[in-house]
Amino acid sequence: MGLTSETTVYVMAALAAVCVALLVWRWPRFARQGLPQVLGRLAALGATQVVILAAFACWLNSSYQFFGSWSELLGRVETAPVGVTPAGNHGGAGSVDGVAAQGALVQPASDEQLGRVSGLPTGPAAVTGRVESVKVVGRRTGVVDPAFVYLPPQYFQKAYRRQRFPVIVALSGYPGSIFNLAQHLRVPQTAGALQKSGRMQPTVMVMIRPTIAPPRDTECVDVPGGPQTETFLAKDLPDALKSAYRVGHDASAWGVMGYSSGGSCALQLAMRDPHVYPTAAALSPDYKVKDDPTTGNLFGSGPGRTERINGHDLMWRLAHLPAPEVSVLVAESRHGERGYPRTQAFIRAVKAPMRVVSILPEHGSHNFPTWVQEMPPALRWMSGQLTFPQDVVPRHHRKGPTAADQPRPGPDPLRADGPEQPFVGGGGGGGGGSPGTVVSMKAAVAWPGRRGP
């Protein structure tokens, strides 16, 4: 029985019910006077409570997928074999359903979790798009991390067969899971609806967890002598995706977003690795990484510890280092979330060439209903920052014109100006406007076949 299977939940629930029934049935014997009876009462009550709590924990884990297997629960993490190299295919020959086969950096994975996600696209991929369950293999780090990949309908359409697509990497919080991103945050469902209505350009959505060494929370840090989470997300993940999918090779096509600690990670990646992720959106993030019981010692000891701590303190970076040329979005509720003052301080600290906008709802909480409301405007804003299309083969190597060669509106075919869209913006640097005001954000309309807003 798998840790997340419904069978495990039912078995644990039945075991809890049996324990309660046995306790009620045998209680008259335990009610007698004497030391053995007292010890028996304590043992029976303790065992029953442990089983009930275990059943509840199994149900909770099955619903939110904190741990995907018994091995993860026990801290045994799958690692990649030594010597794995990129497959070098782009969804063509030698792939399985568009994903590189065994021995590559992106491999097909079980659909068990994916099958429990509601509202995923159904029907022909060229009409509805498709979500794939895969394993991403880290060539440098040896990490093997599960992921869901949403491919838009255009990815399978003939007119786009020569195009590379923009990518948004969505990160879960801690302990989190890719199931949470798909089922509770509704990443593929929201992106699919926005793209279908023309409010978001065709984009590959990659759902992955930054918890690469569960149950430890590594907070997107390269831990000295430990898990190399930043290297995996900033180097291994992009390399793996480029080896298996037709995605943009230029950083202008890449963005990263997340909620809670995943949002913190998104900001960290953008500000520390702007050549990889120049666009980031963070829903209810923190702005400083620090040690706690779930992380252990993230920064090591001895020489260099202070520098490593400061390097992951975004407010320190803004005060002491040149601002990176990135665009970020931060979201925090004015009432109901404790991080609002820190978010305001971050917005004020941003300076050019870094740009910041914000989503600042009046009320909300640190939970999925709030983040689900913030997802559509966040994705629309991110879509306006990413370039598309990017040609797979240079024009002088092609035979005949393709859809990408057709004229497009605007002075720049990759980032043409389009209808203005209202957006809740934040000031600071190039963000424009004061915090919480509505500012005008231009929506990109560069992709072929885009529908009106």
Side-chain angles (χ1 to χ4, degrees), residues 346-414:
F346 176 81
I347 291 171
R348 290 192 297 267
V350 169
K351 54 184 179 292
M354 185 175 173
R355 297 166 297 278
V356 61
V357 296
S358 60
I359 301 175
L360 305 173
E362 194 66 27
H363 298 280
S365 299
H366 197 84
N367 58 24
F368 284 111
T370 296
W371 300 325
V372 166
Q373 289 184 326
E374 295 166 348
M375 277 289 290
L379 286 176
R380 288 174 57 192
W381 174 81
M382 292 191 77
S383 181
Q385 313 304 307
L386 306 181
T387 57
F388 177 77
Q390 294 189 0
D391 298 334
V392 172
V393 179
R395 284 189 173 87
H396 63 274
H397 287 165
R398 295 189 203 155
K399 295 181 180 179
T402 71
D405 297 318
Q406 303 305 315
R408 304 183 187 94
D412 183 343
L414 294 183

Side-chain angles (χ1 to χ4, degrees), residues 90-91 98 151-157 160 165 204 244-247:
H90 302 278
L151 301 172
Q154 292 83 354
Y155 190 90
F156 304 96
Q157 296 172 5
Y160 292 80
F165 287 75
V204 173
Y245 295 101
R246 297 196 321 274
V247 295

Side-chain angles (χ1 to χ4, degrees), residues 168-174 181 185 187 205-210 220 233 255-269 279-287 329-332 337 359 366-368 371-372 374-375 378-379 381-382:
I168 295 177
V169 175
L171 303 174
S172 67
Y174 175 80
L181 290 165
L185 194 60
V187 170
M205 304 294 299
V206 180
M207 290 148 275
I208 199 163
R209 59 181 187 180
C220 288
L233 293 173
V256 60
M257 70 179 305
Y259 67 89
S260 189
S261 62
S264 308
C265 183
L267 290 180
Q268 294 276 341
L269 289 171
T279 300
L283 312 181
S284 305
D286 284 324
Y287 302 95
L329 177 149
V330 291
E332 195 86 35
E337 293 193 83
I359 301 175
H366 197 84
N367 58 24
F368 284 111
W371 300 325
V372 166
E374 295 166 348
M375 277 289 290
L379 286 176
W381 174 81
M382 292 191 77

